[in-house]
Amino acid sequence: MKQEALAFFQNTGLTAFASVLFFIAFAIILYGVFQKKNRKYYEQMSQLPLEKEQCHER
Amino acid sequence: MERKLEKFFYDDNIVKMFIMATLFWGGAAFLVGLIIALQLAYWPLNLNLDFLTFSRLRPLHTNAAIFAFAGNAIFAGIYHSSQRLLKTRLFSDFLTKLHFWGWQTIILAALITLPLGFTQGKEYAELEWPIDLMITIIWVVFAVNFFGTIARRREQHLYVAIWFYIATIVTVAMLHVVNSIEIPVSFLQSYPVYAGVQDALVQWWYGHNAVAFFLTTPFLGLMYYYIPKAVNRPIYSYRLSIVHFWALVFIYIWAGPHHLLYTALPEWSQTLGMIFSVMLWAPSWGGMINGLLTLRGAWHLLRTEPIVQFLIAAVTFYGMATFEGPLLSIKSVSALGHYTDWIIGHVHGGALGWNGFLAFGMIYYLVPRLWGADGMYSKKLMSYHLWIALTGILLYYISMVSAGITQGLMWRAISPTGQMTYPDFVQTVNAIRPLYWVRVFGGLLFITGYFIGIYNIWKTIAMGKKVSPVEQQAYALTFKDDSNENAHRKLEGLGTVFTVLVLVSVIVGSVIEILPTLSIHKHLPQDEQILPYTALEQLGRDVYVTEGCYVCHSQMIRTYTPDVIRFGPSSTIAESMYDHPFQWGSKRTGPDLARVGGKYPDLWHYRHMVDPRSMNNQSIMPAYGWLETKKADFYSLRKKLSVLRTLGVPYTDEQVSQADIWAEKQAEEVAAQLEKDGAPAGLKDKKIVALIAYLQCLGKKAKTGTDTSKWNNFPFKKVAGGEQ
């Protein structure tokens, strides 16, 4: 199994496949995140911490 | 459906309690750190007491800094910010309290057991099995409370800080459970199921990701909440924070093997660890820039607001530490820096600069608000805290990096005639001893800053008016609006699906990296395999673990020429195949011990343990005098060997059932020889004899070896004229 496992990782086709897979996942996230139509939504999201809570009068 | 306006209160009491715990345990962690820094500079400071010795206190220091100081700070920040981001009170007041008191009990248990020598000998996972169980239970309590809070939220969307908290909770749970699988031998001792190279890989997968998911992701969550709060501006780029999050979660989990470069770990695994570490440069710096640029248009706050100074200094240290980390993960840099004080400098830049300053910035933000004061008592004192602590960190960092590089270069220095320029290890220690004093001074400054902070916080609390909780209002969620959102935005609202995705991404990395190594010992060729430890050697090994020898001595000669020239042929996978736990170590304050067996006579070890200066007058090792007076527990050996046999160490039935006799007989022989050579009589049942037997077998357990001890063949076959 050790030899098999090592052979597994010397399989350049597979490692290339994995890196392409990683890159695609990365690209999808980037694409999803940077779509123009989402701009307003992200602006709202980024305001979440700044919403005022009820406080005592100072 | 009409949305209902609901009224509720935040639980701020728990935040106050966790802040108090942070400050209290932080002080303890810093003080223990100062003590052990002093001990490295001046060895007599262990006062000849076992529980005050560096090798017992160092694990206490690291555990206190990570789990007590940083841990309590995280809980304070998570509980404060999550209630506000989710617009709801915490899920259960009972679980909240259980979480708090359970965690403090764990810390107290660590404070007692670690100095007493109850340890598993795995860095940052030293705590013994009953405490491991407590940690698991309390972590589940935390998780239930946190996810329950998410389920009851009145804000549909989960802000990015919440994502970071979720990643923290699920990943730390996985890391802790997998790394802590162990079989108890007694109430406070256990052996990990993994051995040698497996244990090393699992341990550093855990160790590195403890840094990633206990000291990085939760603090990033805090950064994404408290920096916008402190400067009253949204984060520079929310989109960048999403990319930051996914990149870290995908990449971090793979980086562990960079702690094992040039070791016996299979090369593909080392390379994988290195490459993923280098990849971390991009998302880490993306996150740092995102934090810093949040100040756009408000840079003047950096001049006037100490809270902002603390937070920005923290983010800057995050950037520096995450620049240096990948750098040190490059094989050729690691060759120089590994085992040296450079690593110590690196982690303190991260722990004091990033975690420390972020925690203090957050605490300074929260204290006046929670205790009803109009701002902190003194801005000036906050500034003093910042600048004194910052000077301290810089002195600490610069001294340790200089010490590390100096020593690393001395280890590899070769004279024109092809010999080691500094053949005696202690020469390379002497060269850096002055820097140990600089480090002490740096630590002292950091603690001075801490005490200024404590005074300031105390005055602020005294100034505060009693505040009762204020009623909050928010609309209940229907979970039905916005049904035409796109996929990713829906995902951001779905806590469960999101959590599963995070878990999948960390599990995939872990399985691919760890699984092939788990069966590696089965495939070692017969002639490469080694003999298991004799009962006495195993007992000595337990003494070695208890005393924490691994804190200063490695047992891993790297496949790196200067290591091989100095310590002998590089260590093999087989040589630690029966080591539960592995003791490869991560720091060489003293020399490597993987091939110390047979290098010196038994008497040398005896004298060296009782008074290291008698054998090497420049040694900085503390004296371990109690080893010659404390008794070794031979009767525990039957149980120990039987547990080890369950874990795959090939002891015979007779060896297990007569383990104590096996050990006693060998001990008698060692003690008799010691006495003949001039050591006092009556050592045969003392710990020192077991430890000497263990040290003398290191590197000598090869099956084909010519100088293996006859004690490996116990029980001896009866031959005519007595024992063989």
Side-chain angles (χ1 to χ4, degrees), chain B residues 483-496:
Chain B
S483 53
N484 54 352
E485 288 189 9
N486 75 28
H488 197 257
R489 278 161 59 176
K490 271 185 188 156
L491 169 70
E492 286 162 20
L494 293 174
T496 320

Side-chain angles (χ1 to χ4, degrees), chain B residues 158-369:
Chain B
L158 299 177
Y159 182 67
V160 70
I162 302 286
W163 301 13
F164 278 100
Y165 303 157
I166 291 175
T168 301
I169 293 173
V170 297
T171 314
V172 170
M174 173 185 80
L175 295 168
H176 173 70
V177 169
V178 173
N179 189 44
S180 302
I181 303 178
E182 60 231 4
I183 301 196
V185 175
S186 61
F187 174 55
L188 282 174
Q189 201 203 345
S190 61
Y191 292 127
V193 293
Y194 315 103
V197 64
Q198 307 159 347
D199 200 30
L201 182 60
V202 173
Q203 159 62 26
W204 283 113
W205 164 81
Y206 162 89
H208 186 74
N209 286 301
V211 175
F213 289 91
F214 206 93
L215 298 177
T216 307
T217 54
F219 280 89
L220 286 170
L222 300 179
M223 172 188 100
Y224 279 123
Y225 182 78
Y226 289 103
I227 289 189
K229 276 297 208 195
V231 301
N232 203 23
R233 274 175 163 64
I235 193 74
Y236 171 65
S237 164
Y238 192 80
R239 292 168 152 159
L240 187 55
S241 71
I242 297 174
V243 178
H244 183 201
F245 174 83
W246 283 112
L248 284 191
V249 167
F250 264 99
I251 299 176
Y252 244 130
I253 202 79
W254 299 79
H258 71 219
H259 291 257
L260 299 167
L261 299 180
Y262 291 109
T263 65
L265 183 75
E267 186 117 11
W268 65 264
S269 189
Q270 298 182 26
T271 307
L272 204 62
M274 172 178 104
I275 290 171
F276 274 85
S277 306
V278 171
M279 281 201 280
L280 279 169
W281 256 326
S284 303
W285 273 55
M288 172 191 71
I289 289 166
N290 206 0
L292 293 180
L293 289 185
T294 301
L295 260 75
R296 70 203 178 287
W299 289 105
H300 60 279
L301 292 175
L302 201 50
R303 251 192 332 265
T304 54
E305 290 303 319
I307 291 176
V308 178
Q309 292 172 342
F310 267 100
L311 296 174
I312 293 304
V315 176
T316 310
F317 270 108
Y318 173 63
M320 294 303 118
T322 56
F323 176 80
E324 195 181 30
L327 180 74
L328 280 164
S329 304
I330 296 170
K331 278 186 164 181
S332 45
V333 183
S334 168
L336 176 68
H338 192 45
Y339 295 132
T340 75
D341 285 302
W342 187 352
I343 311 301
I344 315 298
H346 169 64
V347 298
H348 282 82
L352 300 178
W354 161 235
N355 301 125
F357 278 177
L358 198 88
F360 283 117
M362 178 187 86
I363 289 171
Y364 282 141
Y365 173 84
L366 288 175
V367 164
R369 285 170 173 78

Side-chain angles (χ1 to χ4, degrees), chain A:
Chain A
M1 153 104 195
K2 172 195 160 200
Q3 282 77 5
E4 283 164 32
L6 292 182
F8 205 62
F9 280 90
Q10 280 157 0
N11 184 337
T12 47
L14 203 73
T15 47
F17 174 71
S19 67
V20 167
L21 208 64
F22 261 78
F23 186 77
I24 289 174
F26 183 64
I28 288 175
I29 291 175
L30 275 192
Y31 173 77
V33 167
F34 284 93
Q35 272 183 324
K36 259 213 171 118
K37 61 174 183 176
N38 288 346
R39 171 183 285 263
K40 229 185 109 194
Y41 165 74
Y42 285 122
E43 271 169 17
Q44 278 173 17
M45 286 297 288
S46 66
Q47 291 293 333
L48 278 183
L50 303 177
E51 285 185 21
K52 292 279 176 281
E53 58 178 288
Q54 302 297 320
C55 292
H56 282 284
E57 299 285 322
R58 287 270 156 82

Side-chain angles (χ1 to χ4, degrees), chain B residues 382-393:
Chain B
M382 287 161 78
S383 276
Y384 286 153
H385 178 183
L386 178 85
W387 291 108
I388 293 174
L390 184 64
T391 313
I393 300 175

